[in-house]
Amino acid sequence: MFISNPFIINLDSAPDRWSTISESLAKLNIPYNRFPGIDGRKLTSDELAKYTKWFNRTFTLTHSIIGCALSHYFVLPMARAKLPSYTQTTPDTTWILVLEDDAVITDNYTADMAKLRTDLEWLHRMHPEEYDQIDILKLCIPTRHLASAPIAAAFLGLENRPAINHTASGSMHYTFRSYYFAPHNTAYLVKLASVDKLLNQLHTRKINTHIDMELGFRKEIGIYYVDHPIIDSKVDNFNTSTNLANTYPRSSVWATFALNQLGLLSTYTTFGI
C-alpha cells in the first residue's frame, strides 16, 4: 500500500499559509510537494466556458469558487505524474494525499498515517469488495458538518452507504463512514485508480457548485471519511480555502442540490447552458 507525500494546494497570493504548513511538515521530516493553486480571477472567458455552465458562472459561482474547484481537480494529474513509476502498475493500492494550505499537521500525524495505511492494507486483503468502494477518503471533517449531513440526505431521499467498520474485532483502527453532504476538503486521499473517474466528472458534469459540496454529493463517487480526523483544520467554517459563507449563500448550495436531485434542473443541464 503506497500513500504519497502531501500535495499541497497553495495560491501564489498566500505565502504566509505556505510558510506555515511547509514548516510544520519539515519539522516532522515529511517531504511535500506544492501545487500552485488556480486563481479564478485570472481565468479567460474560454476557460470559464470550458469548465462551467452559463447558468452557474452567471448566477451561482464566483471566480474564487471556480479556481478552488479547478485546483482540486488539476492537482491530481500533476500528482500522478510525480509518483514513482512502479505505482502506475498498482493503481488500486496507490493513494494520492491532497492538502489545502490551511491544514494543520498534528504531532501524531506520522503515527496516525501509519495506522491508516495498515487499515487500508488489511481491508484490501480481507474485504476487497469494501475497499473497492472507496474513491476518496477524507482525513478531516469537522463534527458540526456531520451533524446535518444525515438529515439533509434523508430529506432528499438519499441513502448513505454503509460504514466500513471492523474496529470491534481489532482488525482496523478507524471506521470509514460515508455521508452525502459532508463537505470539507482540507485533507483527503484519492485512489490512483479513481483519478480518471474524477477528472471525467469535471469534463462531463462541469463545475456546478463549490468543490466542498461537489465532492460530497456525487452518487457515482465513493467518498468516505475516517471517524477520527488525522489532520485538523485551522478554520472550522464552511470552506477553509475561501470563505464560502461570504461569497456564496449557503441556502443557494442546498437549493441547487435539492432541485438537481429532484430533477427540476434537468432542463438547463440537458441543454448545457
Side-chain angles (χ1 to χ4, degrees):
M1 193 66 58
F2 178 88
I3 298 178
S4 75
N5 293 320
F7 288 85
I8 305 166
I9 298 172
N10 170 251
L11 287 169
D12 292 339
S13 58
D16 292 345
R17 287 189 173 195
W18 176 249
S19 176
T20 299
I21 191 168
S22 59
E23 288 176 5
S24 297
L25 291 166
K27 288 179 181 178
L28 296 176
N29 296 315
I30 300 170
Y32 51 84
N33 304 272
R34 178 180 181 270
F35 176 81
I38 296 172
D39 188 337
R41 296 169 299 180
K42 298 180 180 180
L43 294 171
T44 66
S45 57
D46 288 343
E47 289 171 326
L48 290 171
K50 182 177 181 180
Y51 298 115
T52 64
K53 301 182 181 77
W54 176 85
F55 179 89
N56 297 105
R57 65 177 174 270
T58 304
F59 296 107
T60 64
L61 296 175
T62 67
H63 285 174
S64 294
I65 290 173
I66 296 170
C68 180
L70 289 177
S71 296
H72 280 273
Y73 281 115
F74 289 165
V75 69
L76 298 178
M78 178 265 212
R80 177 167 57 184
K82 286 183 173 291
L83 293 175
S85 58
Y86 68 85
T87 62
Q88 305 302 322
T89 62
T90 56
D92 287 334
T93 56
T94 297
W95 296 84
I96 296 169
L97 175 56
V98 178
L99 304 181
E100 291 184 335
D101 57 10
D102 58 352
V104 177
I105 309 302
T106 66
D107 292 338
N108 296 325
Y109 170 85
T110 301
D112 290 344
M113 288 299 289
K115 293 177 183 177
L116 181 61
R117 182 182 292 105
T118 300
D119 284 357
L120 290 170
E121 289 173 345
W122 183 88
L123 190 66
H124 178 258
R125 184 174 66 256
M126 302 302 296
H127 294 276
E129 74 286 353
E130 292 183 326
Y131 178 89
D132 290 344
Q133 295 177 26
I134 308 172
D135 295 310
I136 295 176
L137 184 59
K138 297 190 178 186
L139 309 183
C140 170
I141 293 188
T143 303
R144 74 182 187 86
H145 286 167
L146 297 178
S148 61
I151 300 173
F155 174 75
L156 295 176
L158 297 172
E159 184 176 352
N160 292 305
R161 297 179 180 88
I164 298 175
N165 186 359
H166 299 281
T167 56
S169 64
S171 300
M172 290 179 61
H173 302 88
Y174 299 104
T175 296
F176 301 160
R177 303 188 185 277
S178 182
Y179 284 144
Y180 289 112
F181 301 109
H184 223 265
N185 294 311
T186 299
Y188 57 92
L189 295 174
V190 177
K191 189 186 294 178
L192 180 57
S194 303
V195 168
D196 287 335
K197 179 194 292 190
L198 294 172
L199 294 176
N200 185 58
Q201 289 288 305
L202 172 62
H203 294 293
T204 59
R205 302 286 291 271
K206 298 194 176 185
I207 299 168
N208 296 284
T209 186
H210 195 279
I211 191 66
D212 279 5
M213 296 299 294
E214 194 87 22
L215 292 183
F217 179 79
R218 298 298 181 209
K219 297 178 182 178
E220 56 269 44
I221 302 175
I223 302 176
Y224 289 77
Y225 66 92
V226 294
D227 59 343
H228 297 291
I230 294 175
I231 293 174
D232 289 335
S233 173
K234 184 175 298 183
V235 181
D236 183 9
N237 58 16
F238 191 65
N239 167 54
T240 56
S241 57
T242 355
N243 190 349
L244 184 57
N246 291 334
T247 58
Y248 190 25
R250 195 172 303 189
S251 58
S252 297
V253 178
W254 294 104
T256 298
F257 278 108
L259 292 173
N260 199 327
Q261 179 63 22
L262 296 173
L264 300 181
L265 290 184
S266 57
T267 301
Y268 89 80
T269 300
T270 301
F271 287 100
I273 299 176

